[in-house]
Amino acid sequence: MSPIPEVAAAGPDPYARRIAQRAPSLLGVFNRAGVLEASDVHVAVRLGALGDEADETVLLAVALAVRAARLGAVCVDLSAAPDQPLELLDEVTWPDPAGWRDAVAASPLTARGVLRHEGDLLYLDRHWREERQVCDDLLARLARRAPEVDEAVLAAAVPRLFPDGWDQQRDAALAAARRWTTVLTGGPGTGKTASVARMVALIAEQLELDADRAPRIALAAPTGKAAARLQESVAREAAGLDPVDRARLADLRASTLHRLLGWRPDSGTRFRHHRENPLSYDVVVVDEVSMVSLSQMARLLEAVRPTTRLILVGDADQLASVEAGAVLADLVNGFAGSADSPVLRLTQTHRTKAGAAGAELDALADALRQGDADLAFDLLTSGTDAVRLVDPADQEQLAGVRAEVTDAAYAVTRRALAFADPEDRVPLTDLLDEHRLLCAHREGPFGVSSWNRQVEHLLAERADVAHLDEWYPGRPILVTANDRGLGVSNGDIGVVARMPDGRLRVVVRTGTEVKLFAPTRLSGIETVYAMTVHKSQGSEARAVTVVLPPEDSALLTRELFYTAVTRAKEKVTIVGTEAALRAAIGRQVQRASGLAERLGGSS
């Protein structure tokens, strides 16, 4: 390895917050070069001290494993680490890969199980254990003898539940009835939630044949708004079914995954339901599984009985969890080509949004999914209203975007100023789904904070009101922390309204309910004229405006772009340059994980 220069050498401000003071020389160099954050360095140094490890190359590997978890990966691929450029210190090289692997393998931290080393992959112990558990539990479920079904009853139910043209959805439901585990994936408009309703009705009929009670069925999703959307979709689909099937779905209520597993006040990672106290349901359906982290999937699988039918639903091309893991994508990739794969992919579009707008949105989503930047650019510049690209340098077009965003906010404000409890609760919160402004960043000129300030200022001029107080009528809010006492969850949205007596109340959509709260009772609240793409997952809006950051933004990825676009029901506007558009489509999220290989190697 090249000599390591002094930490005080040329580079960023040595007293910046992201610089680890008194770091060992090697970690200090990689910290100043932008590879590591101070927190990565501090954790590595502390683990080294506790585990009697002084080799700086091993501590560098530990810091990279910590960094990987912080950025959403389950492990770090030591063979791929040197592909990261050291922009500030060209004279420094990465450790020799072979010697590096040997040093990590021989480390006391590895011997004591703090680190887990498999080939080129290095894990922190917790993620290694969870990945193995998820793999083992899934494979054990697949190895079980298939549930018994009455094929004659199945055959009779098919024409009742599945109309002509729903071939893929019918086949998926039949497969789910005949197995314990099903992974249902597909893009927007492919009828995933419609399939869920009919699939559950089909399975419920089978369960009724062998039991003297109604089947116990659970619906869940990672966030409150995703759970509400799942329940609404199932209820909407059930309304069109025969009375006998509609009755089977009548009392279904969706909850967050945390509520399903049973929140515990003494633990942020463990739940009331686990292997020794499993869930009592016959069928468990989890939607928006792309948002489920490795830890959450581990807790779910250990809480579900082996004889419970588990149905995992989601779009594998969307953004993965903000926590470590990309479980849905790993399942899809890991079981690819397996003769006993539980993965069913829907590709036929059954979009309820009609006409050319729906077709254009589907075409754009497909172009993003395929990584076809030329086609995406052509669609966005074809001159239609459904999908369009606005150059941020074009002030006239940008002013039009601001006007659209302000119009949507003004409609909410007018309703909030003339609020009448309780009749206006649902219509008021429904207005929040008319338009959504999405950003990749939280801060900066292209971020949520900047756009929130812009819209607030423009709205004050339009409504002729000054937002001098924190709480004012029309302020849209996002709940950012779970509050079991109030019954609100991270991701719930609402709006401040003025009551007839002049008091202010916050109208919050919690799951499928709409509740009123005094502003002083809520904490962990932020204004959401704009929100991040991550926060928008699990929701839809009639029209969506997406603000792309510059092409060199590390957050600008195909998965983020695809997730933002697929939030729209009827119209999507992209504010960004052609260069940013092409950069987003050309850059995919890379999350190191061994789950897909584990599953594939066992198939």
Side-chain angles (χ1 to χ4, degrees):
M1 173 177 291
S2 303
I4 302 299
E6 294 295 327
V7 177
D13 178 2
Y15 299 105
R17 292 179 60 185
R18 60 165 301 276
I19 300 300
Q21 305 298 324
R22 296 185 299 278
S25 58
L26 181 60
L27 271 65
V29 167
F30 279 79
N31 175 217
R32 292 190 297 111
V35 177
L36 301 175
E37 293 294 323
S39 58
D40 307 327
V41 174
H42 293 319
V43 172
V45 170
R46 184 59 177 160
L47 287 177
L50 293 173
D52 297 323
E53 177 57 80
D55 186 332
E56 289 194 26
T57 64
V58 175
L59 296 184
L60 174 61
V62 175
L64 290 171
V66 175
R67 171 185 182 268
R70 176 171 55 80
L71 297 179
V74 174
C75 56
V76 60
D77 185 342
L78 295 180
S79 66
D83 294 339
Q84 302 173 68
L86 295 177
E87 299 176 356
L88 300 179
L89 298 167
D90 294 335
E91 70 273 21
V92 177
T93 60
W94 287 85
D96 171 68
W100 200 11
R101 287 194 300 269
D102 291 343
V104 170
S107 171
L109 293 175
T110 303
R112 295 176 182 180
V114 177
L115 301 179
R116 299 289 184 167
H117 187 222
E118 294 188 359
D120 289 322
L121 301 183
L122 180 65
Y123 297 79
L124 299 176
D125 178 64
R126 172 191 164 189
H127 291 145
W128 178 81
R129 290 179 180 274
E130 289 174 341
E131 184 177 279
R132 285 173 58 92
Q133 182 212 313
V134 167
C135 178
D136 291 346
D137 284 347
L138 283 170
L139 294 178
R141 292 181 63 84
L142 294 179
R144 285 187 61 84
R145 181 179 177 181
E148 295 183 3
V149 296
D150 188 319
E151 294 293 342
V153 173
L154 274 182
V158 165
R160 188 180 74 241
L161 286 168
F162 295 93
D164 292 340
W166 284 63
D167 298 344
Q168 289 185 341
Q169 289 75 11
R170 175 203 62 210
D171 294 345
L174 288 172
R178 297 179 177 127
R179 59 174 57 147
W180 298 114
T181 305
T182 300
V183 180
L184 185 66
T185 187
T190 54
K192 294 189 297 296
T193 50
S195 297
V196 164
R198 297 165 188 270
M199 186 182 293
V200 168
L202 192 73
I203 295 172
E205 184 177 31
Q206 290 290 317
L207 293 171
E208 290 169 355
L209 299 177
D210 299 320
D212 56 0
R213 58 170 175 78
R216 293 186 290 260
I217 300 165
L219 304 178
T223 66
K225 61 176 174 285
R229 183 179 166 201
L230 172 62
Q231 182 171 321
E232 291 165 0
S233 298
V234 169
R236 183 172 58 249
E237 199 64 28
L241 299 180
D242 282 4
V244 63
D245 296 309
R246 188 162 61 245
R248 293 184 174 113
L249 304 176
D251 296 325
L252 292 186
R253 296 291 181 268
S255 72
T256 63
L257 193 53
H258 276 74
R259 287 178 182 170
L260 174 69
L261 295 176
W263 177 83
R264 279 173 46 178
D266 61 330
S267 176
T269 58
R270 294 288 174 173
F271 299 89
R272 286 191 298 106
H273 292 289
H274 44 75
R275 219 174 292 277
E276 306 304 321
N277 181 33
L279 294 163
S280 61
Y281 295 101
D282 302 298
V283 182
V284 172
V285 179
V286 182
D287 196 12
E288 296 289 353
V289 176
S290 65
M291 300 168 64
V292 175
S293 69
L294 178 67
S295 294
Q296 288 174 318
M297 184 57 69
R299 302 291 82 79
L300 173 66
L301 289 172
E302 69 183 15
V304 174
R305 293 180 302 167
T307 53
T308 294
R309 283 180 173 85
L310 177 63
I311 302 171
L312 305 175
V313 186
D315 187 342
D317 296 305
Q318 284 189 21
L319 279 169
S321 164
V322 294
E323 299 176 28
V327 178
L328 181 57
D330 283 341
L331 296 186
V332 173
N333 295 329
F335 286 116
S338 169
D340 191 32
S341 172
V343 178
L344 304 167
R345 183 182 287 274
L346 302 179
T347 58
Q348 296 175 348
T349 299
H350 296 276
R351 191 182 280 271
T352 56
K353 37 198 178 208
E360 290 172 12
L361 286 168
D362 288 339
L364 178 58
D366 189 59
L368 299 182
R369 190 166 45 244
Q370 301 300 325
D372 192 334
D374 290 335
L375 177 56
F377 182 72
D378 289 344
L379 289 167
L380 286 165
T381 56
S382 61
T384 66
D385 288 333
V387 295
R388 60 176 180 143
L389 179 67
V390 172
D391 189 335
D394 188 324
Q395 293 303 312
E396 182 177 350
Q397 287 192 2
L398 195 58
V401 171
R402 291 193 183 100
E404 290 179 7
V405 174
T406 306
D407 286 346
Y410 183 56
V412 175
T413 298
R414 284 191 304 172
R415 193 73 178 244
L417 285 168
F419 183 73
D421 176 53
E423 291 81 5
D424 278 358
R425 291 190 191 188
V426 174
L428 178 58
T429 57
D430 282 350
L431 282 176
L432 297 173
D433 294 331
E434 280 296 299
H435 182 271
R436 195 142 293 150
L437 175 59
L438 305 180
C439 305
H441 291 244
R442 291 188 60 83
E443 305 296 336
F446 302 92
V448 167
S449 296
S450 174
W451 276 90
N452 272 334
R453 288 192 297 270
Q454 288 186 60
V455 176
E456 201 168 51
H457 175 73
L458 292 169
L459 185 60
E461 291 182 344
R462 173 80 66 85
D464 194 26
V465 294
H467 298 150
L468 301 178
D469 297 322
E470 177 185 7
W471 299 97
Y472 54 85
R475 179 193 176 194
I477 60 97
L478 176 73
V479 177
T480 60
N482 296 328
D483 189 325
R484 186 173 176 83
L486 294 181
V488 298
S489 301
N490 182 11
D492 289 341
I493 60 174
V495 61
V496 180
R498 178 177 291 159
M499 304 292 287
D501 60 5
R503 293 177 303 162
L504 294 181
R505 289 294 180 264
V506 189
V507 187
V508 182
R509 188 165 63 204
T510 61
T512 55
E513 296 183 76
V514 179
K515 302 178 180 179
L516 287 179
F517 298 102
T520 54
R521 298 187 66 194
L522 294 171
S523 60
I525 299 296
E526 60 184 43
T527 302
V528 283
Y529 291 113
M531 70 169 60
T532 63
V533 178
H534 270 100
K535 291 288 188 181
S536 74
Q537 284 185 272
S539 67
E540 281 187 325
R542 185 189 62 80
V544 169
T545 298
V546 184
V547 180
L548 296 182
E551 62 269 23
D552 58 355
S553 169
L555 296 181
L556 193 58
T557 64
R558 185 187 304 175
E559 289 84 356
L560 179 134
F561 196 8
Y562 174 85
T563 301
V565 166
T566 53
R567 300 309 91 205
K569 292 181 180 180
E570 297 179 12
K571 178 180 178 180
V572 64
T573 299
I574 309 300
V575 180
T577 64
E578 180 181 353
L581 173 79
R582 293 185 179 276
I585 297 172
R587 185 185 299 138
Q588 289 186 273
V589 173
Q590 299 296 327
R591 287 194 169 186
S593 164
L595 180 57
E597 186 174 352
R598 292 183 197 277
L599 294 171
S602 302
S603 59

